PDB file of all heavy atoms in Angstrom:
ATOM      1  N   ASN P 195     -55.633   0.855 -42.779  1.00  0.00           N
ATOM      2  CA  ASN P 195     -56.995   0.713 -42.044  1.00  0.00           C
ATOM      3  C   ASN P 195     -57.587  -0.619 -42.339  1.00  0.00           C
ATOM      4  O   ASN P 195     -58.164  -1.208 -41.425  1.00  0.00           O
ATOM      5  CB  ASN P 195     -57.944   1.861 -42.624  1.00  0.00           C
ATOM      6  CG  ASN P 195     -57.547   3.175 -42.081  1.00  0.00           C
ATOM      7  OD1 ASN P 195     -56.843   3.345 -41.146  1.00  0.00           O
ATOM      8  ND2 ASN P 195     -57.978   4.232 -42.883  1.00  0.00           N
ATOM      9  N   PHE P 196     -57.484  -1.178 -43.421  1.00  0.00           N
ATOM     10  CA  PHE P 196     -57.900  -2.563 -43.691  1.00  0.00           C
ATOM     11  C   PHE P 196     -57.277  -3.615 -42.861  1.00  0.00           C
ATOM     12  O   PHE P 196     -57.909  -4.466 -42.310  1.00  0.00           O
ATOM     13  CB  PHE P 196     -57.762  -2.843 -45.258  1.00  0.00           C
ATOM     14  CG  PHE P 196     -58.172  -4.315 -45.658  1.00  0.00           C
ATOM     15  CD1 PHE P 196     -59.495  -4.547 -45.665  1.00  0.00           C
ATOM     16  CD2 PHE P 196     -57.251  -5.235 -46.053  1.00  0.00           C
ATOM     17  CE1 PHE P 196     -59.930  -5.807 -46.025  1.00  0.00           C
ATOM     18  CE2 PHE P 196     -57.644  -6.439 -46.341  1.00  0.00           C
ATOM     19  CZ  PHE P 196     -58.969  -6.751 -46.406  1.00  0.00           C
ATOM     20  N   LEU P 197     -55.959  -3.478 -42.791  1.00  0.00           N
ATOM     21  CA  LEU P 197     -55.305  -4.421 -41.979  1.00  0.00           C
ATOM     22  C   LEU P 197     -55.562  -4.247 -40.348  1.00  0.00           C
ATOM     23  O   LEU P 197     -55.616  -5.179 -39.785  1.00  0.00           O
ATOM     24  CB  LEU P 197     -53.734  -4.203 -42.111  1.00  0.00           C
ATOM     25  CG  LEU P 197     -53.130  -4.620 -43.470  1.00  0.00           C
ATOM     26  CD1 LEU P 197     -51.726  -4.222 -43.616  1.00  0.00           C
ATOM     27  CD2 LEU P 197     -53.287  -6.182 -43.703  1.00  0.00           C
ATOM     28  N   ARG P 198     -55.718  -3.032 -40.016  1.00  0.00           N
ATOM     29  CA  ARG P 198     -56.165  -2.868 -38.679  1.00  0.00           C
ATOM     30  C   ARG P 198     -57.610  -3.443 -38.351  1.00  0.00           C
ATOM     31  O   ARG P 198     -57.758  -3.988 -37.259  1.00  0.00           O
ATOM     32  CB  ARG P 198     -56.193  -1.344 -38.302  1.00  0.00           C
ATOM     33  CG  ARG P 198     -54.870  -0.706 -38.189  1.00  0.00           C
ATOM     34  CD  ARG P 198     -55.015   0.774 -37.687  1.00  0.00           C
ATOM     35  NE  ARG P 198     -53.688   1.346 -37.685  1.00  0.00           N
ATOM     36  CZ  ARG P 198     -52.712   1.286 -36.843  1.00  0.00           C
ATOM     37  NH1 ARG P 198     -52.855   0.488 -35.763  1.00  0.00           N
ATOM     38  NH2 ARG P 198     -51.590   1.896 -37.009  1.00  0.00           N
ATOM     39  N   GLU P 199     -58.531  -3.364 -39.373  1.00  0.00           N
ATOM     40  CA  GLU P 199     -59.847  -4.032 -39.171  1.00  0.00           C
ATOM     41  C   GLU P 199     -59.704  -5.443 -39.016  1.00  0.00           C
ATOM     42  O   GLU P 199     -60.419  -6.029 -38.218  1.00  0.00           O
ATOM     43  CB  GLU P 199     -60.758  -3.597 -40.376  1.00  0.00           C
ATOM     44  CG  GLU P 199     -61.280  -2.186 -40.301  1.00  0.00           C
ATOM     45  CD  GLU P 199     -62.058  -1.967 -41.630  1.00  0.00           C
ATOM     46  OE1 GLU P 199     -62.697  -2.940 -42.173  1.00  0.00           O
ATOM     47  OE2 GLU P 199     -62.059  -0.735 -41.998  1.00  0.00           O
ATOM     48  N   ILE P 200     -58.874  -6.041 -39.867  1.00  0.00           N
ATOM     49  CA  ILE P 200     -58.737  -7.551 -39.799  1.00  0.00           C
ATOM     50  C   ILE P 200     -58.124  -7.829 -38.442  1.00  0.00           C
ATOM     51  O   ILE P 200     -58.509  -8.817 -37.748  1.00  0.00           O
ATOM     52  CB  ILE P 200     -57.705  -8.018 -40.930  1.00  0.00           C
ATOM     53  CG1 ILE P 200     -58.476  -7.815 -42.256  1.00  0.00           C
ATOM     54  CG2 ILE P 200     -57.288  -9.417 -40.629  1.00  0.00           C
ATOM     55  CD1 ILE P 200     -57.498  -8.170 -43.439  1.00  0.00           C
ATOM     56  N   TRP P 201     -57.176  -7.092 -37.879  1.00  0.00           N
ATOM     57  CA  TRP P 201     -56.544  -7.384 -36.587  1.00  0.00           C
ATOM     58  C   TRP P 201     -57.577  -7.295 -35.514  1.00  0.00           C
ATOM     59  O   TRP P 201     -57.582  -8.078 -34.569  1.00  0.00           O
ATOM     60  CB  TRP P 201     -55.335  -6.341 -36.410  1.00  0.00           C
ATOM     61  CG  TRP P 201     -54.636  -6.594 -35.150  1.00  0.00           C
ATOM     62  CD1 TRP P 201     -53.704  -7.656 -34.892  1.00  0.00           C
ATOM     63  CD2 TRP P 201     -54.834  -5.919 -33.875  1.00  0.00           C
ATOM     64  NE1 TRP P 201     -53.280  -7.616 -33.610  1.00  0.00           N
ATOM     65  CE2 TRP P 201     -53.937  -6.532 -32.990  1.00  0.00           C
ATOM     66  CE3 TRP P 201     -55.545  -4.860 -33.476  1.00  0.00           C
ATOM     67  CZ2 TRP P 201     -53.797  -6.091 -31.711  1.00  0.00           C
ATOM     68  CZ3 TRP P 201     -55.413  -4.471 -32.177  1.00  0.00           C
ATOM     69  CH2 TRP P 201     -54.577  -5.020 -31.373  1.00  0.00           C
ATOM     70  N   LYS P 202     -58.450  -6.212 -35.529  1.00  0.00           N
ATOM     71  CA  LYS P 202     -59.484  -6.070 -34.573  1.00  0.00           C
ATOM     72  C   LYS P 202     -60.417  -7.200 -34.609  1.00  0.00           C
ATOM     73  O   LYS P 202     -60.907  -7.727 -33.529  1.00  0.00           O
ATOM     74  CB  LYS P 202     -60.223  -4.706 -34.784  1.00  0.00           C
ATOM     75  CG  LYS P 202     -59.469  -3.530 -34.298  1.00  0.00           C
ATOM     76  CD  LYS P 202     -60.230  -2.223 -34.609  1.00  0.00           C
ATOM     77  CE  LYS P 202     -59.414  -1.060 -34.227  1.00  0.00           C
ATOM     78  NZ  LYS P 202     -60.132   0.210 -34.514  1.00  0.00           N
ATOM     79  N   ARG P 203     -60.830  -7.657 -35.800  1.00  0.00           N
ATOM     80  CA  ARG P 203     -61.764  -8.816 -35.809  1.00  0.00           C
ATOM     81  C   ARG P 203     -61.154 -10.065 -35.238  1.00  0.00           C
ATOM     82  O   ARG P 203     -61.815 -10.924 -34.761  1.00  0.00           O
ATOM     83  CB  ARG P 203     -62.275  -9.048 -37.208  1.00  0.00           C
ATOM     84  CG  ARG P 203     -63.298  -8.074 -37.757  1.00  0.00           C
ATOM     85  CD  ARG P 203     -63.758  -8.491 -39.055  1.00  0.00           C
ATOM     86  NE  ARG P 203     -62.891  -7.823 -39.971  1.00  0.00           N
ATOM     87  CZ  ARG P 203     -62.766  -7.989 -41.217  1.00  0.00           C
ATOM     88  NH1 ARG P 203     -63.524  -8.943 -41.736  1.00  0.00           N
ATOM     89  NH2 ARG P 203     -61.942  -7.407 -41.973  1.00  0.00           N
ATOM     90  N   ASN P 204     -59.814 -10.218 -35.324  1.00  0.00           N
ATOM     91  CA  ASN P 204     -59.182 -11.431 -34.898  1.00  0.00           C
ATOM     92  C   ASN P 204     -58.448 -11.125 -33.612  1.00  0.00           C
ATOM     93  O   ASN P 204     -57.525 -11.979 -33.320  1.00  0.00           O
ATOM     94  CB  ASN P 204     -58.209 -11.906 -35.936  1.00  0.00           C
ATOM     95  CG  ASN P 204     -58.909 -12.339 -37.330  1.00  0.00           C
ATOM     96  OD1 ASN P 204     -59.807 -13.076 -37.184  1.00  0.00           O
ATOM     97  ND2 ASN P 204     -58.642 -11.767 -38.340  1.00  0.00           N
ATOM     98  N   GLU P 205     -58.832 -10.190 -32.854  1.00  0.00           N
ATOM     99  CA  GLU P 205     -58.090  -9.862 -31.533  1.00  0.00           C
ATOM    100  C   GLU P 205     -58.150 -11.142 -30.701  1.00  0.00           C
ATOM    101  O   GLU P 205     -59.173 -11.790 -30.495  1.00  0.00           O
ATOM    102  CB  GLU P 205     -58.794  -8.734 -30.938  1.00  0.00           C
ATOM    103  CG  GLU P 205     -57.948  -8.019 -29.886  1.00  0.00           C
ATOM    104  CD  GLU P 205     -58.582  -6.791 -29.405  1.00  0.00           C
ATOM    105  OE1 GLU P 205     -59.561  -6.349 -29.993  1.00  0.00           O
ATOM    106  OE2 GLU P 205     -57.959  -6.147 -28.434  1.00  0.00           O
ATOM    107  N   LEU P 207     -56.342 -13.753 -31.301  1.00  0.00           N
ATOM    108  CA  LEU P 207     -55.630 -14.756 -32.070  1.00  0.00           C
ATOM    109  C   LEU P 207     -54.197 -14.497 -32.038  1.00  0.00           C
ATOM    110  O   LEU P 207     -53.777 -13.376 -32.197  1.00  0.00           O
ATOM    111  CB  LEU P 207     -56.152 -14.840 -33.538  1.00  0.00           C
ATOM    112  CG  LEU P 207     -57.620 -15.332 -33.784  1.00  0.00           C
ATOM    113  CD1 LEU P 207     -57.877 -15.203 -35.244  1.00  0.00           C
ATOM    114  CD2 LEU P 207     -57.767 -16.797 -33.293  1.00  0.00           C
TER     115      LEU P 207
END
Side-chain angles (χ1 to χ4, degrees):
N195 290 338
F196 177 71
L197 291 173
R198 286 186 189 279
E199 286 177 29
I200 292 173
W201 184 77
K202 283 179 185 177
R203 279 185 276 168
N204 296 309
E205 200 169 349
L207 291 177

